[in-house]
Amino acid sequence: MTAAETAVETIQREMTVFARRARASAGRMHPELSLVSYTLLGHLEESGGCRATDLAAHYALDKSTVSRQVAALERAGLIERRLDPEDHRVQVLHLTGAGQEILAQVTRSRRAAFRERLADWPEADLVRFAGYLERYNARATAGSADD
């Protein structure tokens, strides 16, 4: 196996560990907020609201998966549906005040956990790592195969 092949194997293994840890830690950050729910709330905040079909398309998730997540978030009072002012046939999902508060709380906790884990990294390593992650995710966003 070449050094590049070994590196790719290591990256795949470590990203799997990272994803597993992220899913597990989401429940510890807020018991009612799964990693998927946190991600959907974050997207709704960033986008200023969107349709459930837009969430499904953005995250390449099945519409039924998003529908279940949206229903749970609505029951929890974290999101609400509003009519699109330009097309009253369309419902747009928005964060409620409670959704904004929980998202902010979980985001602060996640940032603190990252800061703690990376506290002893030199600044140059942090900048390089951030750049590598952006580059990797930009490629995934452009339509290449994930996971």
Side-chain angles (χ1 to χ4, degrees):
M1 191 179 284
T2 68
E5 290 169 332
T6 301
V8 169
E9 290 295 317
T10 299
I11 291 166
Q12 183 275 322
R13 182 182 64 244
E14 294 302 320
M15 299 232 3
T16 300
V17 169
F18 176 83
R20 220 177 280 129
R21 184 179 298 117
R23 280 191 298 275
S25 71
R28 289 191 303 274
M29 300 282 177
H30 193 280
E32 294 136 32
L33 203 60
S34 71
L35 182 61
V36 172
S37 295
Y38 172 76
T39 303
L40 296 180
L41 290 177
H43 185 76
L44 289 175
E45 180 182 58
E46 288 174 19
S47 67
C50 67
R51 299 174 305 163
T53 54
D54 296 331
L55 286 173
H58 181 77
Y59 289 106
L61 293 171
D62 186 76
K63 290 178 187 177
S64 64
T65 300
V66 171
S67 180
R68 283 190 302 275
Q69 292 290 328
V70 164
L73 292 169
E74 281 183 297
R75 281 192 304 275
L78 304 179
I79 64 172
E80 63 187 2
R81 295 176 190 263
R82 297 182 199 157
L83 290 178
D84 185 329
E86 295 177 17
D87 184 349
H88 290 285
R89 297 170 297 168
V90 175
Q91 294 186 335
V92 179
L93 303 170
H94 292 273
L95 293 179
T96 62
Q100 291 170 337
E101 287 176 30
I102 285 179
L103 181 62
Q105 171 193 353
V106 173
T107 298
R108 282 190 303 273
S109 296
R110 290 178 62 81
R111 283 185 183 144
F114 275 107
R115 283 187 184 105
E116 183 180 324
R117 179 162 286 218
L118 299 169
D120 62 345
W121 285 36
E123 184 176 341
D125 286 355
L126 290 171
V127 170
R128 241 186 329 274
F129 186 48
Y132 293 152
L133 287 173
E134 287 175 336
R135 186 168 144 198
Y136 176 81
N137 285 327
R139 180 71 183 254
T141 302
S144 72
D146 276 353
D147 308 309

